[in-house]
């Protein structure tokens, strides 16, 4: 399940990409399939071990184009172990809302991106996120949870003040917002609730089968209740 639109963030052979806060590696895997040299970067070594294992499995399965590479690096977004201008592209998907000093992370992102390079920044959309916060305090008070709710205007202003040129944006995962509202309504950690389980099964079916009906429904819902907003920026 990709949040970033790779048509808006072109990736291909010879492109060096940083997946900042890669988590389970969904965007890193897609970039590697497209032939990029990928660095999957995260604080969680367990996540990185899983991503590294998948990189190996992808290579064995013939999913990695010749010359493309996938590597994992552990560290913090506030002090990345990379030289200035190291990357042609950066993806930071659902990361900044976790970081108290988000401006410091934005400055680091700007530093490691090459001049002329582009980045895709995704955060939870304001309205769906605000509903989650209102329904269940545990949603945002758990250790490592979300520390802020961005408006698109705030996110754009902060990135612009860092030095980025602001580009287009879109919303994603309109079908996922109701799932999180249900989770928060019944208890965000109550994964066994019948409503939670039923909606989760629907999402898994949608991801696996991608039927036309749900694709159309999500396209209509994205601008209204898309769970994530994706903003594309450029370093001059």
């Amino acid at each position: 399940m990709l949040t970033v639109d790779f048509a808006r963030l072109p990736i291909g052979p010879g492109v060096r990409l940083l997946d900042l806060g890669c988590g389970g590696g969904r965007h890193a895997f897609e970039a590697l399939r497209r032939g990029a040299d990928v660095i999957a970067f995260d604080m969680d070594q367990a996540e990185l071990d899983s991503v590294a294992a998948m990189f190996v499995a992808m290579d064995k399965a013939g999913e990695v184009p010749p010359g493309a590479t996938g590597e994992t690096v552990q560290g913090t977004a506030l002090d990345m172990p990379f030289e200035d201008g190291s990357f042609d592209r950066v993806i930071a998907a659902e990361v900044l809302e976790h970081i108290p000093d988000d401006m410091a992370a934005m400055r680091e992102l700007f530093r490691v991106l090459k001049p002329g390079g582009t980045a895709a920044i995704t955060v939870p959309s304001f309205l769906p996120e605000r509903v989650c916060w209102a329904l269940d305090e545990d949603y945002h008070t758990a250790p490592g949870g979300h520390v802020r709710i961005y408006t698109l205007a705030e996110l754009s202003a902060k990135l612009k003040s860092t030095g980025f040129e602001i580009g287009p944006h879109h919303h994603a995962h309109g079908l996922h917002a109701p799932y999180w509202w249900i989770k928060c309504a019944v208890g965000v950690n109550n994964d066994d609730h019948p409503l939670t389980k039923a909606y989760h099964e629907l999402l898994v079916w949608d991801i696996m089968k991608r039927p036309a009906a749900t694709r159309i429904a999500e396209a209509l819902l994205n601008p209204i209740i898309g769970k994530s907003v994706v903003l594309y920026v450029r370093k001059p």
Side-chain angles (χ1 to χ4, degrees):
M1 182 186 72
L2 300 175
T3 306
V4 171
D5 179 0
F6 281 87
R8 300 177 190 240
L9 189 77
I11 302 292
V15 169
R16 192 161 190 250
L17 174 131
L18 173 67
D19 188 358
L20 172 60
C22 65
R26 57 202 171 100
H27 290 108
F29 302 147
E30 180 62 22
L32 185 60
R33 289 188 186 98
R34 291 169 178 259
D37 296 319
V38 180
I39 300 293
F41 184 79
D42 205 281
M43 291 180 62
D44 189 333
Q45 187 59 52
E47 291 271 37
L48 292 176
D49 290 343
S50 176
V51 171
M54 182 57 74
F55 282 159
V56 172
M58 289 172 62
D59 189 37
K60 289 182 178 179
E63 295 183 34
V64 180
T69 60
E71 180 184 350
T72 61
V73 177
Q74 184 184 32
T76 171
L78 302 180
D79 185 21
M80 291 190 279
F82 308 116
E83 295 182 1
D84 296 357
S86 294
F87 299 95
D88 303 291
R89 307 282 187 271
V90 175
I91 294 174
E94 313 298 297
V95 174
L96 294 176
E97 69 274 11
H98 294 273
I99 303 174
D101 191 352
D102 60 338
M103 292 292 291
M106 291 177 189
R107 288 191 292 271
E108 269 292 272
L109 195 160
F110 185 86
R111 180 184 68 78
V112 301
L113 188 62
K114 290 180 180 179
T118 53
I121 315 295
T122 94
V123 298
S125 300
F126 178 82
L127 176 58
E129 184 77 351
R130 188 68 190 88
V131 172
C132 289
W133 281 46
L135 288 172
D136 190 351
E137 186 177 358
D138 289 341
Y139 173 82
H140 65 93
T141 58
H146 300 179
V147 298
R148 72 178 56 80
I149 303 176
Y150 287 101
T151 64
L152 178 60
E154 178 191 356
L155 180 64
S156 299
K158 286 184 172 182
L159 289 165
K160 185 175 182 179
S161 71
T162 304
F164 287 107
E165 295 176 349
I166 306 302
H169 74 275
H170 62 87
H171 292 78
H173 311 316
L175 290 176
H176 290 246
Y179 169 70
W180 283 99
W181 295 342
I182 292 170
K183 277 181 67 72
C184 290
V186 303
V188 72
N189 297 312
N190 185 6
D191 292 331
D192 293 328
H193 192 281
L195 284 176
T196 304
K197 292 175 70 174
Y199 203 102
H200 184 265
E201 290 174 3
L202 169 66
L203 292 178
V204 171
W205 173 77
D206 172 57
I207 292 169
M208 297 300 294
K209 300 297 185 181
R210 298 187 62 81
T214 55
R215 294 299 93 208
I216 293 170
E218 184 154 79
L220 294 172
L221 288 172
N222 278 343
I224 306 168
I225 59 168
K227 185 68 172 66
S228 297
V229 60
V230 189
L231 180 61
Y232 300 88
V233 297
R234 177 181 180 274
K235 180 175 178 177

